[in-house]
Amino acid sequence: MSSWPKNERGPRWGWVGGFLGSTLWILILSGVWVVRGEIRWGLAGLAAYLVCLLVLWLLLPWRRPKVRIWKLYWGALAPIALSAGLFLWRHKAAGNQEDLSWSTWVFLILILVMPPSFYRKTWEELIRP
């Protein structure tokens, strides 16, 4: 990590840290399921988390400096969204009858808060304007 250029250290840590922080809930919920004796669901969650890590590694923006950030961002969000869908489906399948329809709207609002100017930029343009 010390080989990172000084002007890129902060953005790189931000990308990796933000992604890891946004996927930590998958690992925690998987652990909860294992402790509750639902080993199969715990392993499914662990597999989902590992897929998220693989996608993070594959879509590191500094490895693809000319690709628009929105493509990398949506690619990184895909396994998180699939994990959320899996966990919501599991929640309903377990007999929990609470209305979860609000979660779809919250998810859409959180995704759409990114400013449009950020979508058009590439990593190269963000680091070396």
Side-chain angles (χ1 to χ4, degrees):
M1 301 247 181
S2 60
S3 64
W4 290 357
K6 281 191 175 192
N7 67 328
E8 289 190 28
R9 285 185 190 158
R12 286 183 184 201
W13 279 110
W15 183 271
V16 173
F19 190 80
L20 290 176
S22 67
T23 58
L24 192 57
W25 64 272
I26 300 170
L27 189 60
I28 292 169
L29 191 53
S30 300
V32 168
W33 280 337
V34 168
V35 168
R36 291 172 66 185
E38 300 178 48
I39 305 297
R40 185 172 54 158
W41 283 102
L43 291 176
L46 180 61
Y49 185 72
L50 293 175
V51 167
C52 288
L53 292 180
L54 177 65
V55 168
L56 167 66
W57 184 75
L58 291 173
L59 296 179
L60 291 172
W62 51 91
R63 296 175 74 203
R64 294 172 172 70
K66 297 190 185 302
V67 176
R68 301 221 184 261
I69 292 292
W70 72 266
K71 292 178 182 179
L72 302 173
Y73 180 77
W74 286 104
L77 277 182
I80 297 172
L82 291 174
S83 298
L86 171 75
F87 291 145
L88 289 173
W89 178 72
R90 172 62 183 111
H91 182 73
K92 282 290 218 183
N96 299 314
Q97 297 303 320
E98 302 110 24
D99 180 27
L100 295 174
S101 61
W102 64 269
S103 60
T104 304
W105 291 107
V106 170
F107 184 69
L108 286 175
I109 289 169
L110 289 175
I111 287 176
L112 297 175
V113 296
M114 188 184 297
S117 63
F118 183 69
Y119 283 128
R120 298 179 156 209
K121 301 259 186 195
T122 64
W123 182 260
E124 207 168 58
E125 293 170 341
L126 288 172
I127 299 304
R128 298 169 198 94

